[in-house]
Amino acid sequence: MKISFYGAAREVTGSCYLVESGGGTKVLVDCGMFQGCNTCDVKNYTNLYFEAKEIEAVFVTHAHLDHTGRLPKLYKDGFRGKIFGTAPTLRLAELVLLDAVHIMEDDLKREQRAMLYSREDVEQTVKHFVTVDYSRDAMVGDLIGRPRDAGHIFGSAFWELEDEQGKRATFSGDVGNYGSKILRPTAQLSPTDALIVESTYGNRVHEDESTRETKLREVVKRTIDQKGVLVIPAFAIDRTQQILFELNHLVEKGLLPEVPIYLDSPMAIKATEVVKDYPQYYNKEARELAASGDDLFDFPGLKLTASRDESKLINDAPRPKVIIAGSGMMNGGRIQHHLVRYLSDPNSTVLIVGYQAQGTLGRDLYEGKKLVDVLQEKVHVKAQIMTIGAYSAHADQAKLVQWVEEAAEKPKRIIVTHGEEGAAVALATRFQQHFDIPSQAPHFGDTIEV
Ligand SMILES: [Zn+2]
């Protein structure tokens, strides 16, 4: 089996691995978009490094754009095979791709920027979606693919691929963090010849997740006391539902006074509906809570603002208020309209709850920049910038090591991807030293024989 790395090699985004089985079957694991870098456009628009027509199937790990965003380009270039994923992943992926094409349509109107693909390409792509439940087999040529629960976002999977020569490779996709209130934990690793594992936080350790809800409660309370505005840039999928779940708990248990909380993201509103449709994917506690009749993502004070007009009305609403809006890295979307208004207000707070890639506004704020560009305006940052790292949907180094530690049998080799250079190399070194397993961080275009 041969694996070539055409994305997420010593960088976080653009996940796309070509797998060629011993019997000559060609498939991809993920076909994601490059995001948040100066060279990303070039990388997204350039020709694929393989013949799209020859690819027989794609195994999708989860719905995030950096794992699904180039599927319609693959279709446009001639791919007509099956696209496998769990039911929630494929529902969410459709939302993600339609949102991406919507942004492209806007860019075309505003800057005459060519679209990477059309709405029609997205509509055709989703016709190739084939759902596979966790631990069920998906067969393509001489390959068998099996999705297992990755615990990263709703529906997320790591894929085990096996060819007729018995060679096995396991693709982690993104591995979840501890402490999700909704998701089940990451499933145990089965024996494998090669583990291809992400390293977004490969050189970092998250803070303890047990204090997360307390911190969230404190920041909302402080906002209320100061009559400020709390802006939470949230990723539409997962992070938003985690936060809604915790706010639901805090409000319904009387631990927080009622305060207007706006979910100002059409995508997040739709994603929450998808999550509500699949309670069988919840962990035990969440499933029991849902079965008891509680709506896990709705509570007094929550207002959903789907339309632009509703969104604009948030400006006029009296303080205090909480606004949850996308994009999660603050480099686009409705969040920017709120940031331009509230970043310079010392009584307001921006709460960072997820990974901020290099080159994004979120990263600038995270790193403490005091003057930033938002919507072509220079804005002085006087609002408090706060981070709760424990909301991360990604495993940290300790969890990734623990995952391998708890494997039924240690992988024969480990290939570290999906992390910035330093993180990927640090994690590979850690695996090598801790387990004495040959470990490496491939470069873009490298091919590895398993
Ligand atoms: Zn992800």
Side-chain angles (χ1 to χ4, degrees):
M1 187 187 286
K2 279 199 296 193
I3 305 166
S4 303
F5 300 87
Y6 293 121
R10 299 196 176 214
E11 62 186 325
V12 175
T13 63
S15 277
C16 181
Y17 312 131
L18 171 66
V19 181
E20 295 166 82
S21 72
T25 308
K26 286 187 188 175
V27 300
L28 296 182
V29 176
D30 290 336
C31 193
M33 200 179 270
F34 292 95
Q35 291 175 281
C37 56
N38 295 331
T39 54
C40 282
D41 265 358
V42 178
K43 287 172 168 168
N44 287 326
Y45 280 81
T46 198
N47 289 335
L48 297 165
Y49 290 79
F50 42 81
E51 277 296 333
K53 284 188 206 67
E54 293 177 6
I55 304 298
E56 290 175 52
V58 184
F59 298 99
V60 176
T61 60
H62 64 287
H64 278 151
L65 193 67
D66 65 320
H67 294 258
T68 58
R70 283 187 295 159
L71 285 169
K73 177 179 162 67
L74 186 72
Y75 171 82
K76 185 181 166 187
D77 289 358
F79 166 80
R80 295 294 182 268
K82 290 176 175 163
I83 300 171
F84 294 106
T86 65
T89 288
L90 297 178
R91 285 268 309 274
L92 293 168
E94 183 173 355
L95 289 181
V96 166
L97 295 174
L98 287 171
D99 185 60
V101 86
H102 178 70
I103 293 169
M104 289 176 206
E105 286 167 345
D106 276 356
D107 288 347
L108 174 71
K109 263 189 242 148
R110 247 200 343 258
E111 307 166 22
Q112 275 76 53
R113 212 150 76 96
M115 289 170 70
L116 184 58
Y117 43 76
S118 66
R119 187 165 288 268
E120 166 80 17
D121 291 324
V122 174
E123 284 161 2
Q124 291 301 325
T125 301
V126 303
K127 290 184 184 162
H128 292 255
F129 283 180
V130 178
T131 54
V132 190
D133 235 338
Y134 290 135
S135 300
R136 304 283 170 170
D137 290 349
M139 316 250 243
V140 190
D142 69 325
L143 270 176
I144 298 174
R146 199 173 301 117
R148 311 277 314 283
D149 199 335
H152 165 58
I153 63 165
F154 207 62
S156 66
F158 62 90
W159 278 93
E160 299 170 348
L161 264 53
E162 184 172 353
D163 70 8
E164 64 185 2
Q165 295 171 354
K167 288 288 181 194
R168 282 181 170 200
T170 303
F171 294 84
S172 78
D174 292 354
V175 181
N177 193 2
Y178 294 114
S180 170
K181 299 279 169 63
I182 306 157
L183 305 174
R184 289 191 288 237
T186 311
Q188 190 191 29
L189 266 178
S190 301
T192 189
D193 294 294
L195 170 65
I196 294 85
V197 63
E198 69 126 329
S199 60
T200 315
Y201 286 99
N203 54 354
R204 277 187 272 175
V205 175
H206 295 318
E207 60 191 346
D208 181 9
E209 79 276 358
S210 64
T211 59
R212 184 172 90 178
E213 199 173 279
T214 316
K215 284 184 176 164
L216 178 67
R217 180 179 165 206
E218 276 163 12
V219 65
V220 178
K221 275 183 117 169
R222 198 183 59 219
T223 304
I224 296 170
D225 293 344
Q226 294 178 342
K227 294 211 178 336
V229 180
L230 173 62
V231 182
I232 310 179
F235 296 86
I237 302 170
D238 192 66
R239 224 65 43 81
T240 296
Q241 289 82 39
Q242 296 280 348
I243 290 167
L244 290 178
F245 185 100
E246 290 186 8
L247 289 170
N248 174 68
H249 175 246
L250 290 171
V251 171
E252 288 185 351
K253 286 276 175 295
L255 297 166
L256 260 188
E258 200 178 311
V259 56
I261 297 176
Y262 297 91
L263 180 55
D264 189 27
S265 159
M267 239 297 253
I269 294 167
K270 284 185 206 146
T272 306
E273 287 306 317
V274 174
V275 172
K276 286 184 189 176
D277 283 346
Y278 297 93
Q280 67 271 36
Y281 279 72
Y282 297 177
N283 64 30
K284 191 165 168 283
E285 295 75 20
R287 218 164 46 231
E288 282 170 4
L289 211 56
S292 77
D294 185 22
D295 185 329
L296 307 187
F297 310 102
D298 195 15
F299 47 87
L302 180 68
K303 300 175 187 356
L304 310 182
T305 51
S307 75
R308 256 172 222 205
D309 288 343
E310 287 170 310
S311 172
K312 280 183 192 148
L313 288 176
I314 300 174
N315 297 337
D316 306 328
R319 300 164 174 230
K321 55 190 167 189
V322 178
I323 305 166
I324 305 170
S327 70
M329 297 191 199
M330 303 176 236
N331 48 335
R334 290 184 182 178
I335 189 81
Q336 293 205 329
H337 296 276
H338 301 301
L339 290 174
V340 94
R341 193 170 284 261
Y342 301 117
L343 261 182
S344 52
D345 169 29
N347 289 328
S348 293
T349 304
V350 177
L351 178 63
I352 295 176
V353 292
Y355 182 76
Q356 305 297 314
Q358 268 172 6
T360 60
L361 174 59
R363 183 70 159 245
D364 286 349
L365 293 175
Y366 177 76
E367 288 178 346
K369 276 205 182 156
K370 289 293 169 210
L371 186 64
V372 293
D373 291 307
V374 192
L375 295 172
Q376 278 125 24
E377 273 185 48
K378 294 261 180 238
V379 181
H380 288 276
V381 181
K382 297 203 185 104
Q384 191 169 349
I385 309 296
M386 190 182 155
T387 306
I388 306 183
Y391 276 110
S392 173
H394 287 273
D396 61 4
Q397 189 188 69
K399 158 94 193 256
L400 291 166
V401 169
Q402 185 72 13
W403 190 43
V404 173
E405 185 85 63
E406 288 170 357
E409 195 180 288
K410 298 278 182 297
K412 294 204 176 69
R413 67 193 289 189
I414 300 181
I415 295 149
V416 181
T417 59
H418 197 293
E420 285 168 12
E421 179 119 22
V425 173
L427 186 64
T429 309
R430 178 95 170 101
F431 281 135
Q432 179 89 39
Q433 287 170 349
H434 189 78
F435 297 116
D436 200 20
I437 300 172
S439 304
Q440 68 193 107
H443 290 90
F444 185 94
D446 282 357
T447 298
I448 286 170
E449 179 105 38
V450 175

